[in-house]
Amino acid sequence: MKKALITGVTGQDGSYLVELLLDKGYEVFGIKRRSSSFNTQRIDHIYKDKHLGDNNLHLIYGDVCDSLNISRIISEVQPDEIYNLAAQSHVAVSFETPEYTANADALGTLRILEAIKNSKREIKFYQASTSELYGGITAESLNEESLFTPRSPYAVAKLYSYWITVNYREAYNMFACNGILFNHESPRRGETFVTRKVTRGLARIFYGLDQNLYMGNLDASRDWGHAKDYVYAMWLMLQQEKPEDFCISTGIKTNIRDFIKLAASKMGFEIEFKGHGLEEVGYVSNIITNDSKLIKGQEIIKIDKAYFRPLEVNELVGDSSKAKEKLNWSPKISLEQICEEMVAQDMMIQQKLLKD
Ligand code: NAP
Ligand code: F7E
């Protein structure tokens, strides 16, 4: 039985990766942070109480900012594969907490690579690199050869991790890969990332729990895929003959305004936008469903400059030809399906809150 160690196991991607690896017969060890409140909601459905029966998922307390802890876990677990997903992953938050972001997102990776090197074992390593590395580049589609021009403390920290992964691969002949993943979403996405903020926020307005949803830059565009498809690409990268870096994306870009319209349509109403800049509003232009508290003409989307970033990445769209050719990977789940799944879950959660 292969052993995998996942940092960031309590996050969106960690939870899907655990499901995939257990399904493939792995014994999985997940590093979770000590927290004063429960932080395992995304994996509670998988994690069984050890006292209740067999269990191939083990959770260990740890933090990528603590090198002694990371070295001890790696030497005790002796994994075949390590997936480094732990990060302060919010771009806007990285402007507020740049030092912590660098510690976790840059030095965290170094700590793991050093522990692998010192273990003298052949451990395959996956690094969660990101399309944010491209930052300011405007290109039709970005691939493994495109320039990196990071535009946030998050992206700069991830740039260090990208290169230190390449460096350990070349210097110490380690099996270490970067997955340069474009945005990927799901019902398990954190509530402050834009897609989930929209599906959750519109569901609350739909049921009359909130009146408005305040947003930032609606002109930005992203290339959104499903987290489930993307964790499969992570696993594929570590099953290759030789370690390489891969871009993972859908090749389709959508702007924030259009995602809002799509989410509304999945709830049974339509939104139009009027006005410009901070004065722009999104209003209910048509209501198809009978179940909502919405009123035609109601102005529900407003702009708050607090959600603008000191530097924006205006658009990102990827080219995954290499992954298609070498990994035989392509995305299976469309943005329509992702949005539908997210909307269904958020409507259910908000409706339940209303009843409680
Ligand atoms: P996420 O939901 O924010 O999960 C991040 C995980 O990292 C959480 O489990 C979090 O623990 C953990 N973590 C944070 N700081 C830590 C620390 N110091 N030590 C140990 N664990 C720590 O992120 P995600 O969307 O699953 O993304 C997974 C990885 O891929 C991240 O590295 C992210 O930067 C990268 N990435 C994401 C995307 C995307 O679109 N989702 C695209 C490209 C790259 P808590 O639960 O305790 O907070
Ligand atoms: O923003 C704009 C915002 O926070 C997307 C992380 O997983 O993907 C993610 O980073 C866009 C940006 O994701 C709001 O300005 C407008 O242009 O959902 P996001 P992100 O910054 O692209 C990459 C690949 C990662 O690696 C990261 O870890 O949406 N936007 N209004 C807004 N964004 C937020 N969050 N909130 C708003 O109100």
Side-chain angles (χ1 to χ4, degrees):
M1 188 186 276
K2 272 195 194 172
K3 282 196 249 177
L5 176 66
I6 305 176
T7 72
V9 73
T10 56
Q12 171 186 255
D13 292 5
S15 68
Y16 284 108
L17 185 61
V18 168
E19 287 173 349
L20 176 80
L21 296 178
L22 289 177
D23 202 44
K24 294 205 172 287
Y26 280 68
E27 185 173 18
V28 180
F29 295 79
I31 298 185
K32 69 165 177 172
R33 290 198 286 183
R34 161 73 192 135
S35 157
S36 304
S37 318
F38 294 124
N39 61 352
T40 54
Q41 299 91 320
R42 293 188 181 99
I43 47 173
D44 282 343
H45 64 287
I46 317 165
Y47 186 73
K48 293 191 212 113
D49 188 324
K50 280 202 172 55
H51 305 108
L52 298 177
D54 280 352
N55 188 344
N56 278 335
L57 170 62
H58 313 275
L59 296 179
I60 310 167
Y61 285 115
D63 195 306
V64 293
C65 296
D66 179 340
S67 49
L68 293 178
N69 160 269
I70 291 299
S71 300
R72 180 181 53 76
I73 291 173
I74 292 175
S75 78
E76 281 178 11
V77 171
Q78 303 202 349
D80 301 289
E81 297 172 3
I82 297 181
Y83 296 84
N84 180 31
L85 310 183
Q88 188 304 94
S89 72
H90 203 286
V91 173
V93 170
S94 77
F95 287 97
E96 310 279 335
T97 60
E99 185 180 343
Y100 173 70
T101 302
N103 197 354
D105 298 13
L107 294 180
T109 309
L110 174 65
R111 291 180 183 108
I112 298 169
L113 287 166
E114 215 16 52
I116 296 175
K117 188 186 103 195
N118 294 336
S119 78
K120 310 263 189 278
R121 287 178 57 84
E122 287 199 4
I123 301 173
K124 292 181 174 180
F125 177 74
Y126 172 85
Q127 170 55 21
S129 285
T130 165
S131 53
E132 284 293 303
L133 296 175
Y134 300 117
I137 287 275
T138 42
E140 274 302 294
S141 64
L142 300 153
N143 64 21
E144 295 79 5
E145 308 305 321
S146 305
L147 262 185
F148 294 144
T149 59
R151 279 168 76 81
S152 63
Y154 167 78
V156 173
K158 286 282 187 176
L159 185 69
Y160 176 87
S161 279
Y162 173 91
W163 282 117
I164 201 70
T165 299
V166 173
N167 184 248
Y168 272 57
R169 177 168 75 213
E170 292 175 352
Y172 307 114
N173 203 22
M174 280 172 50
F175 195 111
C177 305
N178 284 289
I180 308 171
L181 270 49
F182 285 65
N183 299 50
H184 44 281
E185 317 296 310
S186 74
R188 299 184 199 167
R189 188 55 143 152
E191 289 88 346
T192 62
F193 296 94
V194 77
T195 54
R196 186 74 200 285
K197 180 173 167 174
V198 167
T199 57
R200 179 180 176 276
L202 289 185
R204 288 184 63 76
I205 294 171
F206 185 96
Y207 288 118
L209 292 162
D210 284 335
Q211 295 304 308
N212 297 112
L213 176 61
Y214 289 91
M215 302 293 303
N217 176 19
L218 302 183
D219 290 323
S221 301
R222 289 292 183 273
D223 177 336
W224 282 303
H226 197 297
K228 206 170 181 176
D229 280 341
Y230 286 39
V231 299
Y232 179 54
M234 295 177 188
W235 176 77
L236 284 174
M237 284 179 219
L238 295 199
Q239 313 315 310
Q240 299 308 296
E241 288 284 304
K242 63 182 183 76
E244 285 182 68
D245 306 322
F246 290 92
C247 268
I248 300 296
S249 64
T250 71
I252 302 168
K253 73 175 175 197
T254 307
N255 74 27
I256 313 297
R257 212 175 273 103
D258 288 339
F259 184 82
I260 295 174
K261 288 183 176 184
L262 180 63
S265 76
K266 299 287 172 203
M267 293 180 191
F269 69 101
E270 287 169 21
I271 294 184
E272 293 296 333
F273 288 87
K274 63 182 180 188
H276 293 289
L278 296 178
E279 303 308 320
E280 183 170 1
V281 292
Y283 64 95
V284 179
S285 59
N286 193 18
I287 306 170
I288 297 133
T289 171
N290 293 323
D291 307 333
S292 81
K293 301 269 184 202
L294 297 165
I295 302 164
K296 201 166 171 186
Q298 187 184 344
E299 295 184 352
I300 56 176
I301 308 289
K302 297 198 171 162
I303 306 297
D304 183 338
K305 62 175 187 303
Y307 296 113
F308 284 78
R309 299 168 181 187
L311 265 184
E312 178 61 293
V313 172
N314 292 316
E315 65 171 64
L316 291 171
V317 59
D319 165 11
S320 288
S321 308
K322 180 180 172 187
K324 188 160 199 271
E325 188 196 318
K326 294 197 166 175
L327 303 177
N328 194 21
W329 179 90
S330 55
K332 302 278 177 287
I333 310 172
S334 70
L335 183 59
E336 281 243 8
Q337 290 169 303
I338 299 169
C339 186
E340 206 165 284
E341 199 190 337
M342 294 175 75
V343 162
Q345 181 195 257
D346 278 323
M347 295 290 271
M348 196 183 66
I349 294 172
Q350 300 309 322
Q351 195 180 31
K352 189 166 180 300
L353 281 180
L354 196 66
K355 284 184 185 151
D356 293 347

